[in-house]
Amino acid sequence: KKGSQDPFLMTVLNICVKEVYIKTFYNLVKTQEERTGCRMPTPVERYCVHLLAERVERANIIPDPSFAEKYLRMFSNPNVTEIKTFADDCLFFTSLVPEYGTRRGLSIRYYADLGITSYHYCSDATNDYVFKQVGDCFYELQKFLESTIKNRPITDLFNNNL
């Protein structure tokens, strides 16, 4: 039938595309690790690669409602999946557009604190140590991912104030 798509074929295609994203970001992260000398623990590295691969097709990275409204709403009725997604949004957002908040009078630290608290909540709720590791090294990961995404020397980024 004209215009119809085979669901199985679309599923296979989506899996292949995601695998390409994962391989691409893995290579990008590895290249950046070699270039900077910064090494991430393997579970954190995998987490960051998947974070980048999952976010590549998302056009809207700024949550609606605002970060603060979303944070308060989430913790009034906690859902680990939603909180993890929010924490990932904070990490991705601060890595991709750290200047966004500054133009609105908010520091990266504000968004980072929301993300760190969310990752630690997920760690406590699931007993998954990777969330604790990501939360504990949020600032380092943010700078590493920013340098990876923007292809800038990581030392230049650490000279900027949080």
Side-chain angles (χ1 to χ4, degrees), residues 95-111:
S95 302
L96 188 64
V97 285
E99 59 282 345
Y100 174 86
T102 327
R103 291 192 308 255
R104 284 156 182 73
L106 299 169
S107 68
I108 288 177
R109 189 171 305 272
Y110 169 79
Y111 298 103

Side-chain angles (χ1 to χ4, degrees), residues 54-95:
E54 288 172 4
R55 297 281 187 288
V56 75
E57 291 183 353
R58 285 179 57 187
N60 188 8
I61 63 165
I62 300 170
D64 184 33
S66 72
F67 279 92
E69 291 171 304
K70 189 164 184 160
Y71 180 84
L72 291 172
R73 191 178 305 148
M74 279 185 332
F75 280 98
S76 67
N77 188 16
N79 173 303
V80 174
T81 302
E82 184 180 4
I83 294 171
K84 177 216 172 282
T85 300
F86 177 78
D88 290 346
D89 287 346
C90 290
L91 181 57
F92 189 73
F93 175 79
T94 59
S95 302

Side-chain angles (χ1 to χ4, degrees), residues 24-40 45 52 140-158:
T24 300
F25 284 115
Y26 176 79
N27 290 336
L28 186 63
V29 166
K30 281 303 197 188
T31 299
Q32 188 68 355
E33 283 181 332
E34 290 171 14
R35 192 167 75 96
T36 63
C38 296
R39 301 272 186 251
M40 288 186 259
E45 177 185 86
L52 293 169
E140 292 83 0
L141 289 174
Q142 181 270 325
K143 293 298 183 189
F144 181 86
L145 291 173
E146 182 183 359
S147 72
T148 303
I149 292 166
K150 295 184 175 182
N151 198 23
R152 293 173 53 194
I154 198 165
T155 52
D156 289 352
L157 298 171
F158 274 108

Side-chain angles (χ1 to χ4, degrees), residues 71 75 83 86-88 90-91 108-124 131-140 162:
Y71 180 84
F75 280 98
I83 294 171
F86 177 78
D88 290 346
C90 290
L91 181 57
I108 288 177
R109 189 171 305 272
Y110 169 79
Y111 298 103
D113 286 346
L114 295 175
I116 291 166
T117 302
S118 299
Y119 279 126
H120 287 164
Y121 175 87
C122 291
S123 177
D124 292 344
F131 292 129
K132 181 173 179 356
Q133 286 181 302
V134 173
D136 287 349
C137 58
F138 188 98
Y139 291 110
E140 292 83 0
L162 295 175

